[in-house]
Amino acid sequence: MGTTMHAIRQTGSNGPSSLHWGTTERPHPGDGEALVRITHAGVNRADTLQAQGHYPPPPGVTDILGLEGAGLIEDPNNGTRPDGTPWKAGDEVAFLLSGGGYAEYAAVPHGQLLPIPAGFGLEQTASVVEVACTVWSNICMTAHLREGQRILFHGGGGGIGLFGIQLAKALGATVATTAGSAEKLATCQEYGADILINYREEDFAGVLAGCGGVDVILDIIGAKYLARNIDALAPDGHLVIIGMQGGVRAELPINKLLAKRGNISATGLRYRDREDKARVVRETVSNVWPMLEDGRIRCHIDRVMPAEQAAAAHRALLSGEVTGKIVLKLPGAH
Amino acid sequence: MGTTMHAIRQTGSNGPSSLHWGTTERPHPGDGEALVRITHAGVNRADTLQAQGHYPPPPGVTDILGLEGAGLIEDPNNGTRPDGTPWKAGDEVAFLLSGGGYAEYAAVPHGQLLPIPAGFGLEQTASVVEVACTVWSNICMTAHLREGQRILFHGGGGGIGLFGIQLAKALGATVATTAGSAEKLATCQEYGADILINYREEDFAGVLAGCGGVDVILDIIGAKYLARNIDALAPDGHLVIIGMQGGVRAELPINKLLAKRGNISATGLRYRDREDKARVVRETVSNVWPMLEDGRIRCHIDRVMPAEQAAAAHRALLSGEVTGKIVLKLPGAH
């Protein structure tokens, strides 16, 4: 076993053009970590931010991009599956990372290893780990979405949106979504969205307040939507902000929030500690994996590209032309 | 039984000078409501806002001030105690109201009747209903304060502050509090506060951020403290805003909130529906009443005044000279 590997290296903070395929040192698994040979890595909008010099990895984590993937166990290092049986070398596995997915190998904390859902391949599984953990932790563990409630996903055509729509429908919620084109909204509808709002043509807050408001909002916009999101909330509603594509500071109308007993959480997976991530992964596997296995949730991969073309993948994501996910294929994939 | 009663009537929205002792129609209990003869009514800061024309009662609720009190059951109308035994005419009882406490009689939803804690009198009990339900619902049901965590109460010398300090200590939390005088801070310390901050002399956010931040903040200030409250939060912390003495709109630094995975709730008891209030009352009786009965929480009554002097009571509360609670004594009290 060599001591180097191929990976996407970042040589600046200039976005896609900073990304190059090269070689680097292979990671060594520490205590409580397995070594995984990666075959597929999911691409997330957060990766494009990191390539632009924002959203740095937590202290001590590799600066290689990539928050999720799938592959084969190279060295289990005594890790066990959620059901308690040991992982073995050669087992197919998926994983949630704090960084390091755009590479041939990653050291993965045992609590962030996930089994492959029955009937799923590595490519498909690599495309759902981050969205599944993100959507479950936010709409269920943070906002406690219940059957019969209403939820709004902004950017319904993205990876989180398409996954969230299906998960919320599986939980018995009514789903509203915003997107910027009729085509993306048609895809949202195909995956189950009930209320479709083209944000270029309609004011989502007016539409939703007019029908009683929504109980939960999963927001990736931040400042630009803050006031309107609060207008769109139902009494006791919960706004969960997981992205700030629309700015980082905005005026909060506390009186409106108080009048509807509203809640705001701003959160993310990446900076949680290991124990917290393991808890999210455990709950996601036990609650969401069955929905993948029985077809209640399907993955939507827009395209699969060789990992060497990560820069092109980022350009595609940033252009807004992508619906669902992009997956990078590492050289070791069959 | 006559059809009129004495009560504090409000003849304008000019604050204390709008309040006059007079006569009005006695309330008729509707379905699911008992009629109570009031002996003592608690005075809350919210009452002073209502007397100034802010904070109107929910639709359908009397415009008579007063959110809590104690007295005797006049007509139980089939109501039962939390333990399932029926209320009987003449039973001593306390109650949470959406309005109507500054009066000789009130119609009270059955779910908002509370037993008198063992060892407590009507006067003492009237002083703790609103604060007990407010503090329990916010720091436990909303913010889930746990043993070993840190909590900050703003205005520690007020009714909510002094009660909250004791409740949080009983739950095993470390308690920080702000107040505007050394005398009030000394009272806070006497009731168990660990970290004492005179807001006229120190920046609370700097002090608290310097020791790792607080997990929960119960805030009555609103806009003026929003940014500093977020600075004072620990990772995964929860800011609960229940008052807006310092304004209703302020800039929210979403990026700072997201960096610590912070949560904000703005909430209140008064506009909740009956079912929700009954749930708060039930949890408060089962969790907080034992703390009153075994002395872990003591009530702190600054003064008891005849109900006719409600205007003077409001003036005292607004002057900032009051530590703890004011209770109004109705003519029927012994």
Side-chain angles (χ1 to χ4, degrees):
Chain A
M1 170 168 143
T3 57
T4 62
M5 65 173 181
H6 289 96
I8 290 292
R9 304 297 296 154
Q10 189 177 342
T11 55
S13 53
N14 197 23
S17 58
S18 311
L19 304 182
H20 307 281
W21 184 246
T23 57
T24 184
E25 203 182 338
R26 190 180 291 192
H28 296 279
D31 274 357
E33 294 179 340
L35 186 67
V36 174
R37 181 159 67 82
I38 302 178
T39 58
H40 299 84
V43 177
N44 288 283
R45 186 162 283 272
D47 305 341
T48 66
L49 290 173
Q50 186 172 338
Q52 291 161 347
H54 311 302
Y55 202 57
V61 169
T62 174
D63 61 2
I64 296 174
L65 301 178
L67 301 173
E68 62 179 342
L72 304 170
I73 297 277
E74 182 83 14
D75 173 6
N77 196 15
N78 300 315
T80 54
R81 295 169 180 265
D83 67 6
T85 61
W87 287 106
K88 292 193 300 288
D91 280 347
E92 292 190 340
V93 69
F95 47 85
L96 180 73
L97 292 173
S98 305
Y102 292 17
E104 291 185 295
Y105 291 89
V108 184
H110 289 145
Q112 290 160 233
L113 296 170
L114 300 88
I116 305 297
F120 267 57
L122 293 174
E123 177 183 295
Q124 294 171 304
T125 310
S127 77
V128 298
V129 174
E130 169 76 16
V131 292
C133 291
T134 295
V135 172
W136 181 264
S137 63
N138 285 300
I139 76 173
C140 293
M141 297 168 74
T142 296
H144 306 290
L145 180 73
R146 295 190 309 273
E147 187 177 347
Q149 289 192 322
R150 275 195 284 245
I151 184 167
L152 166 65
F153 293 97
H154 285 301
I160 288 175
L162 290 182
F163 196 95
I165 289 166
Q166 299 177 83
L167 177 54
K169 290 303 292 180
L171 293 169
T174 298
V175 177
T177 185
T178 62
S181 74
E183 193 188 345
K184 284 189 177 176
L185 286 172
T187 306
C188 293
Q189 189 171 30
E190 181 192 321
Y191 281 103
D194 303 288
I195 302 170
L196 307 167
I197 303 169
N198 186 328
Y199 64 77
R200 298 185 202 276
E201 296 170 0
E202 284 187 293
D203 169 37
F204 74 86
V207 172
L208 294 171
C211 59
V214 292
D215 302 290
V216 177
I217 300 175
L218 190 62
D219 176 59
I220 52 173
I221 303 298
K224 189 175 158 194
Y225 276 4
L226 182 63
R228 277 181 281 169
N229 276 332
I230 287 166
D231 287 338
L233 276 186
D236 296 301
H238 202 141
L239 165 62
V240 184
I241 302 174
I242 59 169
M244 298 180 293
Q245 294 175 30
V248 301
R249 303 176 72 91
E251 193 177 71
L252 175 67
I254 302 172
N255 50 348
K256 286 188 181 180
L257 193 67
L258 203 144
K260 48 180 74 170
R261 295 184 300 277
N263 308 280
I264 303 173
S265 298
T267 186
L269 277 180
R270 192 177 198 183
Y271 302 107
R272 291 175 192 255
D273 62 25
R274 257 183 207 198
E275 194 184 329
D276 216 9
K277 279 182 183 147
R279 195 166 61 95
V280 169
V281 165
R282 245 184 348 256
E283 283 213 19
T284 300
V285 169
S286 73
N287 291 287
V288 183
W289 262 215
M291 298 178 184
L292 293 167
E293 294 179 341
D294 67 12
R296 278 175 289 170
I297 302 180
R298 292 170 289 146
C299 64
H300 186 110
I301 297 175
D302 186 284
R303 65 195 79 172
V304 180
M305 303 170 74
E308 295 90 321
Q309 296 173 23
H314 278 214
R315 285 191 189 95
L317 199 58
L318 290 166
S319 75
E321 75 195 47
V322 175
T323 302
K325 294 278 294 193
I326 300 179
V327 173
L328 299 177
K329 193 169 162 177
L330 277 297
H334 300 295
Chain B
M1 168 167 142
T3 57
T4 63
M5 66 173 181
H6 290 95
I8 290 292
R9 304 297 295 153
Q10 189 178 340
T11 54
S13 54
N14 197 22
S17 57
S18 312
L19 305 181
H20 306 282
W21 183 246
T23 57
T24 184
E25 203 181 338
R26 189 181 290 192
H28 296 279
D31 274 357
E33 294 179 340
L35 185 67
V36 174
R37 181 158 67 82
I38 302 178
T39 58
H40 299 84
V43 177
N44 288 284
R45 186 162 281 272
D47 306 341
T48 66
L49 289 173
Q50 186 172 337
Q52 290 161 348
H54 312 300
Y55 204 55
V61 169
T62 175
D63 60 2
I64 296 173
L65 300 179
L67 301 174
E68 63 179 342
L72 305 170
I73 297 276
E74 181 83 15
D75 174 6
N77 195 16
N78 300 314
T80 54
R81 293 168 181 267
D83 66 7
T85 60
W87 288 105
K88 293 193 300 287
D91 280 348
E92 293 190 340
V93 68
F95 47 84
L96 179 73
L97 293 172
S98 305
Y102 292 15
E104 291 184 297
Y105 292 89
V108 184
H110 289 144
Q112 289 160 235
L113 296 170
L114 300 88
I116 306 297
F120 267 58
L122 294 174
E123 178 182 293
Q124 294 171 303
T125 312
S127 77
V128 298
V129 175
E130 170 76 15
V131 291
C133 290
T134 295
V135 172
W136 182 264
S137 62
N138 286 300
I139 75 173
C140 293
M141 297 167 74
T142 296
H144 307 290
L145 181 72
R146 295 191 310 274
E147 188 175 347
Q149 289 192 322
R150 274 195 285 245
I151 184 168
L152 166 64
F153 293 97
H154 285 301
I160 288 174
L162 289 182
F163 196 94
I165 289 166
Q166 299 177 82
L167 178 52
K169 289 304 293 180
L171 292 170
T174 298
V175 177
T177 185
T178 62
S181 74
E183 193 188 345
K184 285 189 176 175
L185 286 172
T187 306
C188 293
Q189 188 170 29
E190 182 191 321
Y191 281 103
D194 304 287
I195 302 170
L196 307 167
I197 302 168
N198 185 327
Y199 64 76
R200 299 184 200 278
E201 296 170 0
E202 284 186 292
D203 169 37
F204 74 86
V207 173
L208 295 171
C211 58
V214 292
D215 302 290
V216 177
I217 300 176
L218 190 62
D219 176 58
I220 53 173
I221 302 299
K224 188 175 158 195
Y225 277 5
L226 181 63
R228 277 181 282 169
N229 277 332
I230 287 165
D231 285 339
L233 277 185
D236 296 301
H238 202 142
L239 165 62
V240 184
I241 303 175
I242 60 169
M244 299 180 291
Q245 294 175 31
V248 303
R249 303 176 72 90
E251 193 176 72
L252 176 66
I254 302 173
N255 50 347
K256 286 189 181 179
L257 194 67
L258 202 144
K260 47 181 76 169
R261 296 184 300 277
N263 308 279
I264 302 174
S265 298
T267 185
L269 277 180
R270 193 177 196 182
Y271 301 107
R272 291 175 192 255
D273 63 24
R274 257 183 207 197
E275 194 184 327
D276 216 9
K277 278 181 185 149
R279 194 166 61 96
V280 169
V281 165
R282 244 185 348 257
E283 281 212 20
T284 301
V285 169
S286 73
N287 292 288
V288 183
W289 262 214
M291 297 178 184
L292 292 167
E293 294 178 341
D294 67 13
R296 276 176 291 168
I297 302 180
R298 292 169 290 146
C299 63
H300 186 111
I301 297 176
D302 187 283
R303 64 194 80 172
V304 180
M305 302 170 75
E308 296 91 319
Q309 296 172 23
H314 278 214
R315 285 191 189 97
L317 199 57
L318 290 166
S319 74
E321 75 194 48
V322 175
T323 301
K325 294 280 293 193
I326 300 180
V327 173
L328 299 177
K329 192 169 163 177
L330 278 296
H334 301 293

